[in-house]
């Protein structure tokens, strides 16, 4: 008999992405830590192989009323001890239906307007989990005065990495081209992959000998392939998994990020485990924190592909001994993310919440007719218009 009934809620689950991979690990291993878990997935169609996950398949045309009906049906007779929200989306409309004794918000990444979302969502939460101390600090700073989210209601959960047994990296030959990788979704939103051709153009102008490899899929792949036509230097692997994925990672010298916002990218952690140095923009997040632990020279000004190219030029000049030293730093930086610490820590924290006093939470908002019958796409357009008129309000 499991000790704790847990409901995970997120917009995605089966698709490519670090958060989605973490949720699938919860699905696979929660029971091992005394947790009986279920999963609500808002914006994906049903996917085979996940019997405890309910895929609600929302779209921009789904209304609040339809979403509430779908969530009620999905929960059926399951009454969770804790509802763990991996997203801030939908909380004002749907969280009152979760039937949970405790609610917890888990912060995986910085997102646009995060502080405003925290101010509005935290009053309904009993605790917060963050994958980096930066995100926990943001939550503490944004919490309304007197909310009572003290240290006993905050938990740091460094993202988990499960690499295979990897042989030691051979010393880097400084005379061969620098192998640079990008790992992740090929999208403009957040990941800003349209910056990659500019970065590569700066590498060419600086005269750096390199090979640039992209590992992942997304709607911008065809555009990127047209922008980067030299298949001897621009390699598109697509989406890989298992041994093939790790073999590609181990062939890289450095993994580059050009994002607008991040949390602690799983790809970065996996790269560290494979001896790949991260080059990360200064976003004040878990990703650049990890890169700084390896070397401050691995963090560059956000949104500046030319600065990233100059940092890569500097890396390409390092002797083999410096590469070995920083790969040792990479191994030390990723060590806290290995093994069962993530899952065991979250399980222990969530079970501890039952000993804490109940928090008084505000009622959920009453929505006047016909708001519940409006589609989410319409609501998004109305919210966007309000932000423009009011200057950034939620």
């Amino acid at each position: 008999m499991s000790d704790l009934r847990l409901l995970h809620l997120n917009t995605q689950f089966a698709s490519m992405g670090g958060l989605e991979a973490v949720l699938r690990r919860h699905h696979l291993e929660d029971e091992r830590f005394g947790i009986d878990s279920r999963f609500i997935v808002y914006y994906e169609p049903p996917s085979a192989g996940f019997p405890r996950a309910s895929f609600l398949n929302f779209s921009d045309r789904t209304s609040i009323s339809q979403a509430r009906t779908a969530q009620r049906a999905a929960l059926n007779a399951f009454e969770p001890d804790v509802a763990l929200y991996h997203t801030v989306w939908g909380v004002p409309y749907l969280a009152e239906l979760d039937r949970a004794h405790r609610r917890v918000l888990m912060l995986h990444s910085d997102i646009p307007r995060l502080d405003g979302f925290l101010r509005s969502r935290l009053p309904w939460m009993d605790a917060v989990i963050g994958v980096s101390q930066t995100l926990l600090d943001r939550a503490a700073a944004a919490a309304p005065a007197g909310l009572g989210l003290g240290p006993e209601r905050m938990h740091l959960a460094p993202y988990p990495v499960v690499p295979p047994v990897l042989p030691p990296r051979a010393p880097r030959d400084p005379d061969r081209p620098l192998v640079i990788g990008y790992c992740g979704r090929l999208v403009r939103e957040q990941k800003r992959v349209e910056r990659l051709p500019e970065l590569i153009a700066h590498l060419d102008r600086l005269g750096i000998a390199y090979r640039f490899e992209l590992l992942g899929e997304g709607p911008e792949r065809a555009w990127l392939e047209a922008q980067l036509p030299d298949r001897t230097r621009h390699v598109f692997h697509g989406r890989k998994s298992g041994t093939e994925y790790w073999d590609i990672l181990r062939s890289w010298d450095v993994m580059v990020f050009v994002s607008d916002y991040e949390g602690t990218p799983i790809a970065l952690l996996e790269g560290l485990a494979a001896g790949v140095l991260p080059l990360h923009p200064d976003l004040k997040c878990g990703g650049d924190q990890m890169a700084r632990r390896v070397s401050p020279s691995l963090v560059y000004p956000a949104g500046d592909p030319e600065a990233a190219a100059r940092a890569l030029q500097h890396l390409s000049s390092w002797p083999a001994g410096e590469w070995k030293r920083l790969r040792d730093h990479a191994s030390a930086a990723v060590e806290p993310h290995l093994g069962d610490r993530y899952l065991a820590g979250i399980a222990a924290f969530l079970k501890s919440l039952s000993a804490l006093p109940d928090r008084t939470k505000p009622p959920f908002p009453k929505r006047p007719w016909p708001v519940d019958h409006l589609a989410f796409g319409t609501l998004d357009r109305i919210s966007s218009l309000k932000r423009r008129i009011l200057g950034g309000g939620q």
Side-chain angles (χ1 to χ4, degrees), residues 119 169 220 228 304:
R119 284 191 294 273
R169 292 284 298 257
E220 299 302 326
L228 306 172
D304 190 344

Side-chain angles (χ1 to χ4, degrees), residues 65-297:
S65 176
Q66 290 168 332
R68 288 170 65 87
T69 298
Q71 178 154 313
R72 283 193 189 96
L75 283 174
N76 196 6
F78 187 69
E79 185 173 330
D81 299 304
V82 177
L84 181 55
Y85 286 84
H86 299 269
T87 176
V88 297
W89 183 88
V91 170
Y93 313 129
L94 302 172
E96 66 178 317
L97 306 177
D98 60 28
R99 307 173 69 190
H101 301 287
R102 297 283 190 274
R103 294 190 193 97
V104 179
L105 180 63
M106 185 160 181
L107 301 175
H108 294 264
S109 177
D110 189 4
I111 58 173
R113 308 193 310 279
L114 175 61
D115 292 342
F117 283 122
L118 289 170
R119 284 191 294 273
S120 64
R121 272 55 168 177
L122 286 177
W124 293 310
M125 299 293 158
D126 294 280
V128 180
I129 298 174
V131 301
S132 72
Q133 189 59 50
T134 300
L135 288 170
L136 286 179
D137 292 343
R138 291 278 295 276
L147 197 60
L149 286 176
E152 74 283 1
R153 295 178 184 266
M154 297 273 190
H155 176 69
L156 176 62
Y159 259 160
V161 181
V162 189
V165 177
L166 300 171
R169 292 284 298 257
R172 184 178 186 277
D173 180 357
D175 294 326
R176 72 169 176 82
L178 188 69
V179 183
I180 308 164
Y182 169 86
C183 183
R185 291 171 289 125
L186 303 182
V187 295
R188 298 191 183 218
E189 171 66 25
Q190 180 188 1
K191 298 300 183 180
R192 296 302 300 269
V193 296
E194 77 276 12
R195 291 173 174 157
L196 293 176
E198 182 183 352
L199 167 62
I200 290 170
H202 287 302
L203 295 177
D204 291 335
R205 281 193 285 273
L206 292 170
I208 299 170
Y210 70 89
R211 186 171 75 251
F212 199 101
E213 302 189 0
L214 296 94
L215 181 54
E217 281 291 355
E220 299 302 326
R221 176 169 177 170
W223 180 83
L224 285 167
E225 287 179 332
Q227 298 295 310
L228 306 172
D230 184 352
R231 291 296 161 262
T232 64
R233 294 191 301 161
H234 312 142
V235 180
F236 289 79
H237 290 291
R239 185 176 183 178
K240 302 295 183 184
S241 61
T243 301
E244 194 173 9
Y245 172 83
W246 287 99
D247 285 346
I248 292 170
L249 277 193
R250 290 189 70 252
S251 72
W252 294 355
D253 296 313
V254 59
M255 181 185 297
V256 68
F257 296 82
V258 290
S259 315
D260 272 347
Y261 56 94
E262 285 286 357
T264 304
I266 295 287
L268 184 152
L269 298 172
E270 291 173 336
L272 291 174
V276 182
L277 304 186
L279 182 66
H280 200 285
D282 187 2
L283 300 176
K284 305 296 186 293
C285 70
D288 53 78
Q289 281 184 337
M290 292 296 293
R292 278 194 181 88
R293 289 178 197 169
V294 182
S295 171
S297 64

